[in-house]
Amino acid sequence: MLVAQVLAVVIFIAMFVMIVIDKVERQYVTIGCGLVTIIGVFGIALRSLDAILETLNIRSIFTIGFWYEAGSASESSAGINWATIIFIAGMMVMVEGMAKAGFFRWLCMTLARMVHYKPIPLFIAFMIMSSILAMFIDSITVILFLASVTIELSKLLKFNPVPMILSEIFCANLGGSATMCGDPPNIIIGTSMGYSFADFVLNTGVMALISFVFVIIYFYFAFRKEIVAGGEQAVDVSSMPNPKETITNKKDFIISCLIFACAVVMLVTHAQTGLTVAFIGAVIAIVTLLASGKHALQIIKKVDYKTLLFFIGLFMVVGGLEQTGILEIIAGYIGEVSQGNLRIMVAIIIWVSAVASAFVDNIPFAATMVPVIQRLAATQGVDSATLAWALSMGTDIGGSATPIGASANVVGTSVAAKNGHVISWGEYCKTAIPATVVVVAVSMVIIFLRYC
């Protein structure tokens, strides 16, 4: 067992290092490390077929509970979390359909016109829109379109788009923390631990809402001078593009809006209906493709398969840590340090998660920590939900602190750079780190007051 444990840890560390170095595409890194885990750890060191089958977790897909469960989710936290994979894939298909119909550009241009293209109201409105959209749609997609439209508006209105893009990135990560489908770490936590959409809204959603008030105030004072200085010229509203012009096909636009509304309703009510997130993701994808008709193949080609492969490989590597008992050791160590004190556990989890997620992808960190907090709750006799909310806020918000902490950060800064607005590490971190500290601190205080 010792050899298997050492090998599992070495593979895990190697995976993290290669992801951070970013010389090889991350999906190849995780899939490669996952295969080494299957062959080296389970096949050679442990010689356990059961460990391989539990980690691949394919059998769960063919159970009724995977698609319909009236009680808690039946998806095992061990190995590949297929519910997460299928749900994310389904949402990707839906988002591609919405983008093709012009939904996101229409929404951005409509909102800009509603605030009469005034810089400060536009700045605040885009922060609010970023948060709300990220509650239901992948933050990468949200930032991709918001940043592009922000740059387009900055050229028309003659202002510096960097402050708005930075605030949009942070708000997208914050909005994503409010719901189960808003951020990949939350999807992993929810499907692994059996929490519903409503559970997240009533817990992390409350923290995100309270924190959002502080964030708006913070970014307003941090960027007010730059925003006002850039938008001093009077704007001829009549010369601005009509939002209706962004709709490529009216019929597709209406259908995509209806599909999105149905997805939201199913997610909000899935605890009552018993429909799992895997079922919802599959249905949304199928309906979107059927509605797309001859464009279905085009949408399928645009799905981000690299991210899905990344998830699959990641879960395989984490499965190696779980099967060899490494995660039990980590949970035991946190239990010893905290001496069974729930507040100390929460503080350790939320701050360690935040700091770690600032420098490494928060998705693998969340996947690693879920079984840790489950074991910690079981051995220390504390509420696992409290630890789950701490992990969720730590990973979701911690990733906002640096340009590489979350995928939305990378996308936002890349879009800015392609349009001649290079955002340095110093410029990014100068405002993002204080905002991250504020939100993590506020979240920790709320957890202390509400659960401990």
Side-chain angles (χ1 to χ4, degrees), residues 6 19 50 54 97 146 204 226 245 252 326 328 376 392-393 404 419:
V6 172
I19 289 174
D50 287 339
E54 284 184 29
L146 272 183
T204 59
E226 292 181 61
E245 295 173 2
D252 290 346
I326 294 297
E328 280 189 48
L376 193 59
S392 173
M393 296 305 295
I404 62 170
N419 288 273

Side-chain angles (χ1 to χ4, degrees), residues 10-24:
V10 169
I11 293 171
F12 180 76
I13 293 173
M15 180 191 73
F16 255 112
V17 170
M18 286 190 285
I19 289 174
V20 173
I21 294 174
D22 198 25
K23 293 295 183 182
V24 181

Side-chain angles (χ1 to χ4, degrees), residues 364-378:
F365 187 85
T368 307
M369 286 298 294
V370 164
V372 170
I373 63 175
Q374 287 176 319
R375 282 169 172 72
L376 193 59

